[in-house]
Amino acid sequence: MPGQMTVEEMGARYQRVATATVFDTLEELGYSYQCLAPDIRPLTLTMRIAGPAVTLKGARDPRGELKEPLPKFRDYGMHRAFYPGCVVVIDTEKAEGVGCWGDLMSYSAHQRGAVGLVCDGGVRDALAMLEIPRWSVFTRFVTPTSSYHRFKMHDFQIPVSLSGALSHQVAVHPGDWLVGDADG
């Protein structure tokens, strides 16, 4: 349709708007509880992110106790969910001490068009992720610890909950827009 913007074009516009302005606008509209927890931070203060969410949900799995993955994970189903301009959003169920995402997953998502990651948990391979062009990472912490035998994705493209700044949790649905900068 003539005049319609692509997701990437809309994301580029949103990246130019400060998150403080986005928060103030949402608050005026009655949406005060959309801000994520202040400890979900960009890897560098110059990172900006904007795009619709592709949601992932995982949990600690120290002994491989989680059931087999859902059929939709077969044939790289999770990776096929990524699309140009999207933001990967991970609900880790507060998995502490584990890198739930790293450079290889980032390269794969980026290759499919994703512009960045928001992880309510930890990531690893931070320096390698910084080398990915036009890739932004917002995370709670960085660790060398691998997810292998410690963390497992168990669903995607479902509503997830991330830690909130003014509320205990912020619901994120597939397709919800996220905007981030140095303020969070």
Side-chain angles (χ1 to χ4, degrees):
M1 179 172 262
Q4 260 190 329
M5 277 190 271
T6 66
V7 169
E8 297 99 318
E9 291 167 333
M10 182 70 78
R13 281 189 172 195
Y14 274 122
Q15 283 189 24
R16 293 191 297 266
V17 180
T19 56
T21 302
V22 173
F23 174 82
D24 292 347
T25 302
L26 287 172
E27 188 166 52
E28 278 186 37
L29 295 171
Y31 299 100
S32 300
Y33 302 102
Q34 304 305 306
C35 191
L36 297 182
D39 55 348
I40 299 175
R41 309 286 307 153
L43 286 181
T44 68
L45 292 178
T46 58
M47 286 186 167
R48 300 181 76 85
I49 198 169
V54 169
T55 61
L56 310 177
K57 187 166 183 72
R60 281 298 299 258
D61 189 25
R63 293 179 219 75
E65 294 170 350
L66 291 178
K67 296 177 188 173
E68 287 298 311
L70 297 173
K72 66 184 185 179
F73 277 92
R74 291 190 190 119
D75 298 321
Y76 301 97
M78 182 180 79
H79 296 270
R80 287 195 321 274
F82 304 138
Y83 56 91
C86 75
V87 173
V88 179
V89 178
I90 306 175
D91 173 355
T92 68
E93 294 187 353
K94 310 297 181 276
E96 293 296 327
V98 136
C100 303
W101 190 270
D103 62 334
L104 297 179
M105 295 295 285
S106 292
Y107 279 113
S108 177
H110 185 260
Q111 189 173 27
R112 301 275 310 167
V115 296
L117 167 72
V118 175
C119 180
D120 191 358
V123 299
R124 59 179 271 159
D125 310 315
L127 290 177
M129 285 192 285
L130 289 173
E131 293 179 8
I132 301 172
R134 297 171 310 284
W135 181 254
S136 295
V137 177
F138 288 68
T139 187
R140 191 176 285 286
F141 60 92
V142 176
T143 179
T145 308
S146 152
S147 62
Y148 189 66
H149 291 303
R150 294 177 188 92
F151 181 86
K152 189 175 198 175
M153 295 293 180
H154 54 87
D155 210 347
F156 65 94
Q157 286 300 75
I158 61 167
V160 297
S161 295
L162 304 182
S163 301
L166 300 177
S167 61
H168 183 66
Q169 295 181 337
V170 174
V172 180
H173 294 82
D176 284 353
W177 275 75
L178 285 91
V179 178
D181 63 16
D183 286 346

